Amino acid sequence: MIRVINLVLFCMCLAALVGVYGLKYSVEDIAAEKVSIERKIDRQTGELSLLKADWSYLNQPAHVGPIVTRHQEALALVPTSQEQFGRMDNLPMRPAAPDTAALDELLNSLDAGIDPIEQLIEAN
């Protein structure tokens, strides 16, 4: 009886040993993959900072100005004028109260199964 228990315990210890070594090697593989990914992230971060520096240089007015003047006639570029922007006087005033009649009509048509959006799409 004791020999059977010892044999079972020995087999369980051996299985646990194999499991622990398997777990150890899988953790080492995952750690190596993590280090590889971190190196790749660092490399891409460096490349991104270089691209941002290039982009900021290319967007400087001193760099863009000569290009604009060189191609101004071909692209029909003109400086913006103040009249191109809207004025506060041109903005519509906010209605004092919502149009409840139109909202009720919309809800009634939806209840009746009529889709006003579909009608607008078909009209155009």
Side-chain angles (χ1 to χ4, degrees), residues 24-82:
K24 175 189 174 214
Y25 289 121
S26 69
V27 167
E28 286 177 354
D29 290 342
I30 291 172
E33 184 179 348
K34 177 186 173 255
V35 168
S36 171
I37 290 172
E38 285 176 347
R39 284 189 198 135
K40 184 177 180 182
I41 289 172
D42 289 340
R43 188 176 61 249
Q44 288 179 347
T45 303
E47 291 173 0
L48 182 62
S49 66
L50 181 64
L51 288 173
K52 285 182 178 179
D54 288 345
W55 183 255
S56 66
Y57 170 73
L58 292 174
N59 282 333
Q60 289 179 352
H63 186 264
V64 175
I67 297 171
V68 169
T69 56
R70 186 171 54 233
H71 299 289
Q72 191 167 9
E73 289 181 20
L75 297 175
L77 298 174
V78 294
T80 57
S81 63
Q82 192 171 2

Side-chain angles (χ1 to χ4, degrees), residues 63-107:
H63 186 264
V64 175
I67 297 171
V68 169
T69 56
R70 186 171 54 233
H71 299 289
Q72 191 167 9
E73 289 181 20
L75 297 175
L77 298 174
V78 294
T80 57
S81 63
Q82 192 171 2
E83 289 77 30
Q84 289 177 303
F85 298 101
R87 296 175 46 116
M88 293 296 286
D89 301 339
N90 296 339
L91 293 176
M93 295 300 294
R94 183 177 292 186
D99 188 5
T100 57
L103 186 59
D104 290 339
E105 182 180 336
L106 173 65
L107 292 175

